[in-house]
Amino acid sequence: MSVRSLCLAILSFGDATGYEIRKESTEGRFSYFEDASFGSIYPALARLESEGLVTVREEPQAGKPARKVYSITEAGRSEFINYLCEPQARDTFKSPFLLIALNAEQLPPDVIRRALERRKAQVREELQQLMDTDKECSHPGSNWTRSYGIACMNCTLDYLEEHGEALIKIAEDAAKPVSDAAE
Amino acid sequence: MSVRSLCLAILSFGDATGYEIRKESTEGRFSYFEDASFGSIYPALARLESEGLVTVREEPQAGKPARKVYSITEAGRSEFINYLCEPQARDTFKSPFLLIALNAEQLPPDVIRRALERRKAQVREELQQLMDTDKECSHPGSNWTRSYGIACMNCTLDYLEEHGEALIKIAEDAAKPVSDAAE
DNA sequence: GGACACATGTAATCGGTTACATGATTAC
DNA sequence: GTAATCATGTAACCGATTACATGTGTCC
């Protein structure tokens, strides 16, 4: 998914500035689709405007640069719907944590412990964020994806909490000096 | 994770050619860490060799170009371990499927149905692949990550099977013409 | 006094993909 | 005959990140 489509996706849920789009894409609900930085969002928005898929409205503010609030047009909306109807790429899961787990035997137990805690904290955080969002927000798509996310993350967290110790043990056993074998 | 680290990761589990590394990164066990194409793997391998982190051995074959089998060196191994000890990026999940689900109301029910079936098939396929790999392969890291993957995917699949219909219904209800409201 | 949130934008750079080039072997 | 698998490699291109540039208001 390109930054272009990401902008259309976010704008289809309501007006936003480039700054807000970045926030949504790195933190909010849309972080499941694509991350993007300012350097890619601002040019994408400018191009989208020149193509007539979005419109801008400047809101001057005292002190700060004027906010440029973007709105999706009908043309933009239909381009986005068409995009969604095309075959999409597969879902992907990229896990530096699993790479560490895979190599647990070669790593110091502390590194495993840290990675595990970090991963657990991350899942808890994302779970919390999902639970905090509007419980019954009347938008069925949001409710469905929210429940899906909660279910998957609870499962992941459970697994990490139940089997985390076993992973640490792998590293500890491998780290033991040979002399221990005599005991 | 860069293609460079990916090569080191794969070679730390055994010798491989560039061709094999690509296969492992797009299909095999290592697809959880990074995808890579030939255009990035071959140059990375060449650079790794010039830095002394891997060695090459050519195996001539009749007809085909000689296979260039790469092996990791001690220097390569320790660079890889050091890399794993550094703080890693967060795990990420990118889901075009969830984007479709989020917009279920705006899409034709058939598109939702297709996306759902595709996603289920993908999860089943990945699950099957994990179950097919060596049940007790004596490598503890592999066993742990394998069990983790199976647990998470089973949970995902269960959710899709139990709540998939509800998602299709969202699209169907939204697609209903207004006159239906009279019934 | 310093860090952080708000707010927009450009330029250099980089990492990676896609397409190209080459070619034998095997399976349908 | 035609597609897929094996097998390596280069060059053009592209999308996105990082760093830079600028500036105010607010919280600690």
Side-chain angles (χ1 to χ4, degrees):
Chain A
M1 194 198 196
S2 60
V3 173
R4 182 190 161 84
S5 303
L6 174 76
C7 291
L8 251 19
I10 292 176
L11 292 174
S12 83
F13 279 84
D15 295 358
T17 65
Y19 190 86
E20 287 162 353
I21 289 175
R22 189 196 143 256
K23 261 200 115 177
E24 288 255 48
S25 83
T26 50
E27 297 156 50
R29 227 182 341 174
F30 292 88
S31 58
Y32 295 116
F33 314 126
E34 182 79 19
D35 278 11
S37 59
F38 292 129
S40 55
I41 290 172
Y42 288 123
L45 248 16
R47 211 190 122 199
L48 246 22
E49 205 229 321
S50 77
E51 293 173 291
L53 303 178
V54 303
T55 54
V56 214
R57 144 177 52 100
E58 277 197 45
E59 288 182 358
Q61 301 179 111
K64 294 170 208 166
R67 301 175 81 219
K68 293 177 85 170
V69 183
Y70 291 86
S71 307
I72 196 165
T73 63
E74 269 318 301
R77 195 155 247 129
S78 78
E79 161 134 345
F80 178 55
I81 297 296
N82 284 147
Y83 166 78
L84 288 181
C85 291
E86 281 165 27
Q88 297 292 310
R90 284 174 153 237
D91 288 20
T92 55
F93 175 57
K94 296 293 159 194
S95 178
F97 164 70
L98 281 180
L99 183 61
I100 288 177
L102 187 64
N103 292 279
E105 273 189 310
Q106 268 69 54
L107 294 167
D110 269 354
V111 170
I112 307 294
R113 221 170 265 134
R114 217 191 317 134
L116 197 58
E117 284 315 313
R118 209 165 153 254
R119 178 70 188 132
K120 279 197 267 186
Q122 194 202 328
V123 178
R124 279 196 202 105
E125 191 190 301
E126 282 178 31
L127 204 45
Q128 196 56 53
Q129 216 183 296
L130 279 177
M131 309 241 257
D132 288 346
T133 54
D134 254 350
K135 205 143 197 150
E136 278 311 322
C137 72
S138 85
H139 181 256
S142 297
N143 290 328
W144 196 92
T145 53
R146 180 174 166 273
S147 303
Y148 174 96
I150 291 173
C152 292
M153 282 189 197
N154 265 322
C155 176
T156 301
L157 190 55
D158 284 351
Y159 196 92
L160 290 173
E161 279 171 350
E162 274 176 51
H163 300 90
E165 280 305 318
L167 185 63
I168 295 172
K169 193 148 185 306
I170 291 174
E172 282 172 347
D173 288 352
K176 267 185 196 160
V178 190
S179 63
D180 278 25
E183 282 176 37
Chain B
M1 192 198 199
S2 60
V3 173
R4 182 193 162 83
S5 303
L6 174 76
C7 291
L8 251 21
I10 292 175
L11 292 174
S12 83
F13 279 83
D15 295 357
T17 64
Y19 190 87
E20 286 162 353
I21 288 175
R22 189 193 143 261
K23 261 200 115 177
E24 288 255 47
S25 83
T26 49
E27 296 157 48
R29 226 183 342 173
F30 291 88
S31 58
Y32 295 115
F33 313 126
E34 181 81 19
D35 278 11
S37 59
F38 293 129
S40 55
I41 290 171
Y42 288 122
L45 247 17
R47 212 190 121 197
L48 247 20
E49 204 228 323
S50 77
E51 292 173 293
L53 302 178
V54 302
T55 54
V56 213
R57 145 178 50 100
E58 278 197 45
E59 288 181 359
Q61 301 179 113
K64 296 170 206 166
R67 299 175 82 219
K68 294 178 83 170
V69 182
Y70 290 87
S71 307
I72 196 165
T73 63
E74 269 318 301
R77 195 156 246 129
S78 79
E79 160 132 347
F80 178 55
I81 296 297
N82 283 147
Y83 166 78
L84 288 182
C85 290
E86 280 165 27
Q88 297 291 310
R90 285 173 153 237
D91 287 20
T92 55
F93 176 56
K94 296 292 158 194
S95 178
F97 164 70
L98 281 180
L99 183 62
I100 288 176
L102 187 64
N103 292 280
E105 272 188 311
Q106 268 70 56
L107 295 167
D110 269 355
V111 170
I112 307 293
R113 221 170 264 133
R114 217 193 315 135
L116 196 60
E117 283 316 312
R118 208 166 153 251
R119 178 72 188 130
K120 279 197 265 186
Q122 193 201 328
V123 178
R124 281 196 200 104
E125 191 190 301
E126 282 178 31
L127 203 47
Q128 197 55 53
Q129 215 183 296
L130 278 178
M131 309 242 254
D132 288 347
T133 54
D134 254 349
K135 204 146 198 148
E136 277 311 321
C137 74
S138 86
H139 180 254
S142 296
N143 289 329
W144 196 92
T145 52
R146 180 173 165 274
S147 303
Y148 174 95
I150 291 174
C152 293
M153 283 188 197
N154 264 323
C155 176
T156 301
L157 190 55
D158 283 352
Y159 196 92
L160 291 173
E161 279 171 350
E162 273 176 52
H163 299 89
E165 280 306 318
L167 185 64
I168 294 172
K169 193 147 185 307
I170 293 174
E172 283 172 346
D173 288 352
K176 266 184 196 159
V178 188
S179 63
D180 279 24
E183 283 175 37

